[in-house]
Amino acid sequence: MNLFNTIVIGLREVWAHKFRSLLTMLGIVLGVAALVAMSALIQGMENGAREAMVAMGGADKVLLRRQAVPAYQEHLADQAPGRTLLDAVALRQGAPLLREVSPQMSVDEVVLTRNDKRCNPAECVGVTSAVIEMNLHRLAYGRFFNEIDEEKAHAVCVIGTGIRDELFGKPDEQGRAIVPLGETIYLSGQPFTIVGMFEEYLSEKDAKEKALRLAGELPKVESGGPKRMRGFGRGGSGGWAFYRKNMTVYIPLNTAWMRFRLAGDKTGIPDNRLSDIDLKVKDFDRLEDALQQARNVLLVTHKGIEDFTFETQENQLEGIRAQVKNYRLTGGFIAGISLLVGGIGIMNIMLASISERIREIGTCKALGATGGDVFVQIVVESVVLSVLGAAMGVGASFALVELLTTLSPTANTPIITLPAVLVGVGFSAAVGMVAGLLPAFKAASLPPIQALRYE
Amino acid sequence: MALLELRNVSKIYHLGGEEIRALDDVSLDLGNGEFVSIIGPSGSGKSTLMHILGCLDTPSKGSVKLDGTEIASASQRELARIRNRTIGFVFQFFNLLPKLNVVQNVELPMIYAGLNSRERRERALQALDLVELGNRLKNRPSQLSGGQQQRVAIARALVNNPKIILADEPTGNLDTHTGELILALFRKLAAEGRTVILVTHNPEIAAVTPRRIEIRNGRIADNVDRKLAGLDRIVPNAAPAVAPA
C-alpha cells in the first residue's frame, strides 16, 4: 500500500467531514498564522534595526569612546588628555591596520538661521573628508571640503537635506528642486557658505513610498492641519537614524576649532578635545588585531592612561540579535502553545473518528489490511489534517500581517520569510504526527473480529 | 489434500474465570470447489468456526491448514496476507466503506495487495462486470439497493482471485428474490472451482448447498437437523428455487 494512496484516502476522509475537519484544523491554523506573522513582524524589526545601523556608518565602524579612567589609575584622572587631534594623527601614521580615522569636533547648541527661518541641526560637527567614508555619506550636490578650506578655516559648510527642508523649504511641497549651493546660512550668528549637500537618506520603506508618490500612485503629502505621528518616533524605529543623518551640518575641522572653540567656552579655556574619533579597519576579520594596534598607539599618546575604549558595531549587532532572539523565543513559545492545543484537538477528533469507524477498520482488516496499514492510514490522516491546517495558517498569516500593518503602522515592513513558513508547516506536521500516534495505535491493535462485530 | 484442513480445533474463551468452549475438538476438511453451508443455532459456535476459517482468529488448540499453510501459528501479518489473497469475505451488512464509491470499494483489497492503479482499475471493472454492476461505478454505497450493495461486496471479495469465498448470512438483509440472485452468483462461483462457504441459519439457503455442516454446542453434529438444513422443503422431483449445483 503506497503512500500516495494513503494520502488520497486521508484527504477523502478529511473531505467527508468538511466542517468537523475545519474546526479541528482551527487550532493549527491559528498557531501557524501566529507563528508566521509574528516572525514576519520580528523580521521587519530586525531589518529596520540593521538598516539604521548601516545608516549610522555600517558594521565595520568602530567608535573611540571616552571612558572614566580605571580604578587603579584614579590618581592620574586629572592628567587624562582626552581625545585630541594628536590621537587622530598618531593613529593615521601608527596604526596601519586602520583604513580610516575620522576626527570630529562637534559644535554644541548651534542654531541655524536664514532670514526668518531657524532650526536646530541634529549635529554640527567639524570634520575632515574621512567622515564621508566613515558615515557612508553620499554627496549629491557641490563639493566636500578641501585642504585649503581646512588650512584657512573657511566658513563653509555641507548640509543634509533635512537642513535644506527646514531653511529653504521642501521640494515636495514647493514642487521644484531646491539646491541651495552658494547660499549663506548663519551658524549661531556666523555666516557660512553652503558648498555641498548630501543626498536624501531614506529607509527602504520611505524610499518606496516616495517613489510611489512621485509616480503619482500615492496622494501628495497632505498639508494643513497638525501632522500626527504614526508608530514610534519619526516613522518607527530606524527612522530616527535617517532623520539624524539628514539633519547634519558639517564644517571643516579647523573651522570648528578656530571659530567655535578657540575663543574658549564659559570658563574661558579653549577646549581642544575632539568629541569623537571614529575608526574603520582595513580587514574586518582582523578587527581584534587592529583594535589592539590602535590601543597601543593611543596608550602612547595618552601617557598610559586608559581614558578611552572602543565600541564596535559588533556590540550593537549583538544587541539587535539578542533582542530579536528574545522576541522570537516569546512569540515561538506562544505559537507553540497554540500548536500544542491544536495537536490535542486533532488527537481528540482522531480518537472520535476511529471509534466511529471501528467497523470500517474491521472490514479493512478482513480485506487484508495489516495493523501497519491501519496505523499508517490513521497517522497520515492526522498529518493531512495538520498540514492542511498549516497551509491555511500560512494563508491566514498574510492576512494577519496585512491587518496588523493597517491597525498599527510602523516603518518596518513585516516580511514573511520562507524559513518561518517552513518551520510552521514542519512543526504542524510533527504535531499532527504525534497526535495521530495514539489513535493510530489503538486502531491498529483492534482485533479484527471485535472490530467487525462492533455495533 | 484438502484446501482447508481442521484437526481437533478448539477455541476456548475465558469469561470471568469460567471456561467457554466455543469450538470443541472440531475436525473438518473442505476441498477445492466445494459449495458448503455451515448451519447452526445462534451460540452454537458457527461464528467462531467462520472466524477461524476466515483467518480472522486463531484456534486455542489444534491445527488449521489452509492450502498447506499452518494458520494456528501464523503471525498477524501473515494472517492479513492470507485474508487478502486467499479469502474473499461477504458480510451480512455488506460492510462497504461509505466514503468510497463502488470502484474504490472494489479496489480496496488490491490496494492492500500493492497493485498499481492501472491494474486495480482493470480488475475492479472486470469484477464489477461479473456481478453486472459495470454501470454504477461512481455511485456511493448509500445510493445503491441492498442487492446491488451485496453484489459490490461480492465483486470486492473476488478481485484478488481468492480460493475461498466466505459469506456470513449474505442474504440476511435482502428480500427473497434478491437473495436468490445472490445465491445463484455463489453457485456460479463454486462451479468455477472456488470454495464457497455460506454461514447461515436460514434453512432455505442451506437447502441450496450440496454439503451442509451443522454446528451444535461447539461440535460438528453427526446428523444434520433436516429442518434446519432445509431438507424437509425439498420435494422430490421438484426443483428448489435455485437448483443445487
Side-chain angles (χ1 to χ4, degrees):
Chain A
M1 176 155 181
N2 63 39
L3 195 61
F4 177 73
N5 280 322
T6 319
I7 291 173
V8 169
I9 294 177
L11 277 173
R12 207 173 276 143
E13 196 62 44
V14 170
W15 187 246
H17 303 278
K18 287 175 268 303
F19 190 62
R20 188 171 86 178
S21 301
L22 193 70
L23 287 181
T24 311
M25 285 187 274
L26 212 53
I28 298 284
V29 172
L30 290 179
V32 170
L35 184 82
V36 174
M38 175 218 61
S39 121
L41 286 178
I42 293 170
Q43 191 65 43
M45 275 155 72
E46 188 182 352
N47 285 3
R50 280 176 195 280
E51 236 183 12
M53 207 186 70
V54 170
M56 290 186 301
D60 55 347
K61 181 171 156 184
V62 179
L63 307 180
L64 179 61
R65 288 272 189 218
R66 193 171 55 197
Q67 176 186 254
V69 293
Y72 72 95
Q73 290 183 336
E74 197 69 55
H75 59 292
L76 298 171
D78 59 343
Q79 296 188 39
R83 295 155 302 169
T84 60
L85 202 52
L86 177 63
D87 293 333
V89 174
L91 281 174
R92 252 185 221 142
Q93 296 187 346
L97 286 175
L98 297 181
R99 179 158 54 100
E100 292 281 0
V101 179
S102 168
Q104 298 174 18
M105 183 178 278
S106 73
V107 183
D108 299 330
E109 292 164 25
V110 163
V111 181
L112 302 184
T113 47
R114 174 181 174 268
N115 299 339
D116 59 340
K117 290 186 176 161
R118 55 177 280 160
C119 78
N120 296 81
E123 52 176 2
C124 174
V125 195
V127 295
T128 66
S129 52
V131 79
I132 299 254
E133 170 61 25
M134 188 60 62
N135 288 349
L136 301 178
H137 275 296
R138 287 178 297 271
L139 203 62
Y141 303 99
R143 63 175 178 88
F144 207 69
F145 313 127
N146 53 30
E147 289 86 345
I148 301 170
D149 294 323
E150 181 66 26
E151 184 162 337
K152 301 256 182 192
H154 279 160
V156 291
C157 64
V158 173
I159 62 171
T161 53
I163 306 285
R164 182 262 327 256
D165 291 347
E166 297 285 342
L167 296 184
F168 297 91
K170 295 183 181 175
D172 282 0
E173 287 167 10
Q174 308 264 333
R176 61 189 172 87
I178 300 175
V179 183
L181 293 185
E183 299 275 352
T184 299
I185 58 173
Y186 291 82
L187 274 69
S188 295
Q190 302 196 42
F192 276 71
T193 307
I194 299 172
V195 295
M197 184 169 75
F198 295 122
E199 70 178 48
E200 188 176 9
Y201 304 112
L202 290 171
S203 69
E204 219 171 288
K205 184 183 167 171
D206 290 342
K208 250 184 249 163
E209 264 179 23
K210 185 171 178 180
L212 283 178
R213 208 176 297 129
L214 282 182
E217 289 184 27
L218 277 183
K220 291 246 187 281
V221 181
E222 69 278 15
S223 48
K227 262 193 204 150
R228 288 192 178 82
M229 295 216 287
R230 306 202 304 170
F232 302 100
R234 287 178 189 265
S237 69
W240 58 271
F242 296 95
Y243 171 75
R244 259 186 80 87
K245 206 167 173 178
N246 285 329
M247 288 297 281
T248 296
V249 178
Y250 285 149
I251 58 179
L253 186 64
N254 205 21
T255 310
W257 166 241
M258 300 285 277
R259 286 184 177 251
F260 295 99
R261 290 284 185 92
L262 195 55
D265 52 10
K266 290 169 209 132
T267 59
I269 303 166
D271 184 1
N272 67 342
R273 283 178 297 184
L274 297 174
S275 50
D276 266 313
I277 297 180
D278 296 347
L279 314 171
K280 274 198 176 172
V281 295
K282 273 202 176 113
D283 182 359
F284 198 59
D285 294 332
R286 297 186 64 192
L287 181 69
E288 289 303 317
D289 296 344
L291 291 188
Q292 189 56 46
Q293 197 174 52
R295 197 179 139 79
N296 290 344
V297 170
L298 289 171
L299 279 178
V300 173
T301 55
H302 287 231
K303 294 176 279 183
I305 300 173
E306 289 180 62
D307 60 344
F308 60 88
T309 182
F310 299 105
E311 187 183 309
T312 59
Q313 303 278 30
E314 190 68 18
N315 302 345
Q316 218 169 337
L317 260 181
E318 212 53 54
I320 295 175
R321 278 198 205 110
Q323 213 178 355
V324 163
K325 200 176 148 200
N326 279 344
Y327 288 139
R328 284 241 161 91
L329 265 172
T330 320
F333 187 67
I334 293 170
I337 289 177
S338 176
L339 283 179
L340 189 73
V341 172
I344 293 171
I346 288 186
M347 187 188 294
N348 192 15
I349 234 54
M350 289 309 295
L351 282 173
S353 158
I354 63 158
S355 51
E356 77 183 23
R357 277 154 62 197
I358 284 181
R359 273 185 62 147
E360 274 181 46
I361 292 166
T363 307
C364 289
K365 285 193 164 178
L367 296 179
T370 59
D373 287 334
V374 174
F375 187 88
V376 169
Q377 183 62 52
I378 303 291
V379 169
V380 163
E381 232 168 77
S382 171
V383 171
V384 161
L385 260 181
S386 65
V387 169
L388 275 182
M392 288 164 72
V394 170
S397 70
F398 281 90
L400 194 58
V401 162
E402 202 59 38
L403 186 74
L404 281 176
T405 33
T406 320
L407 288 182
S408 149
T410 61
N412 306 319
T413 330
I415 295 157
I416 291 179
T417 55
L418 188 62
V421 170
L422 291 183
V423 164
V425 175
F427 195 65
S428 314
V431 162
M433 188 171 289
V434 171
L437 288 182
L438 178 67
F441 180 75
K442 279 187 78 170
S445 55
L446 274 174
I449 307 167
Q450 280 177 33
L452 267 177
R453 305 175 99 187
Y454 186 85
E455 294 299 326
Chain B
M1 189 182 65
L3 179 64
L4 256 169
E5 284 181 12
L6 276 72
R7 289 289 171 271
N8 309 104
V9 168
S10 298
K11 182 71 187 180
I12 300 164
Y13 293 108
H14 295 275
L15 247 167
E18 201 180 343
E19 197 175 83
I20 297 171
R21 289 180 170 263
L23 279 183
D24 192 6
D25 204 28
V26 171
S27 295
L28 181 66
D29 277 0
L30 288 172
N32 267 317
E34 274 206 72
F35 191 17
V36 187
S37 58
I38 295 176
I39 52 178
S42 31
S44 61
K46 68 178 192 302
S47 291
T48 310
L49 179 62
M50 182 196 72
H51 292 150
I52 288 177
L53 290 176
C55 296
L56 288 165
D57 205 354
T58 50
S60 314
K61 281 188 202 151
S63 122
V64 180
K65 278 195 176 162
L66 201 165
D67 217 3
T69 315
E70 178 58 53
I71 302 303
S73 56
S75 70
Q76 285 296 323
R77 214 184 157 71
E78 285 164 330
L79 289 179
R81 194 182 153 79
I82 292 168
R83 290 197 294 268
N84 188 223
R85 309 285 166 92
T86 317
I87 300 170
F89 285 94
V90 179
F91 302 96
Q92 178 177 5
F93 299 103
F94 324 130
N95 285 26
L96 298 173
L97 301 198
K99 283 154 214 149
L100 304 185
N101 65 29
V102 167
V103 188
Q104 288 161 344
N105 261 297
V106 176
E107 282 183 354
L108 199 59
M110 294 186 282
I111 290 181
Y112 296 127
L115 269 61
N116 66 42
S117 60
R118 212 165 51 85
E119 197 172 348
R120 286 206 306 263
R121 181 52 56 109
E122 206 171 289
R123 277 166 63 170
L125 295 184
Q126 276 175 14
L128 283 167
D129 273 341
L130 198 71
V131 298
E132 291 162 13
L133 273 176
N135 53 341
R136 305 301 295 268
L137 303 180
K138 297 292 173 197
N139 287 71
R140 292 289 170 98
S142 56
Q143 297 165 320
L144 300 179
S145 72
Q148 286 171 325
Q149 288 190 51
Q150 195 60 301
R151 271 145 66 196
V152 174
I154 291 171
R156 182 178 68 180
L158 286 175
V159 280
N160 272 347
N161 202 16
K163 292 191 168 155
I164 302 171
I165 302 284
L166 194 57
D168 180 14
E169 299 282 6
T171 58
N173 261 26
L174 304 174
D175 62 67
T176 320
H177 175 66
T178 323
E180 279 166 9
L181 292 178
I182 296 291
L183 284 177
L185 203 50
F186 280 128
R187 203 160 51 82
K188 195 172 131 203
L189 292 174
E192 283 170 6
R194 287 179 222 271
T195 303
V196 178
I197 305 170
L198 303 182
V199 179
T200 183
H201 58 249
N202 184 347
E204 286 184 35
I205 311 281
V208 174
T209 59
R211 182 178 172 192
R212 303 162 195 91
I213 298 165
E214 188 185 340
I215 306 287
R216 218 179 284 154
N217 296 327
R219 290 168 176 274
I220 294 180
D222 297 332
N223 55 335
V224 176
D225 183 332
R226 293 191 64 82
K227 196 176 166 208
L228 198 62
L231 295 180
D232 53 349
R233 291 165 198 241
I234 301 175
V235 184
N237 303 326
V242 178

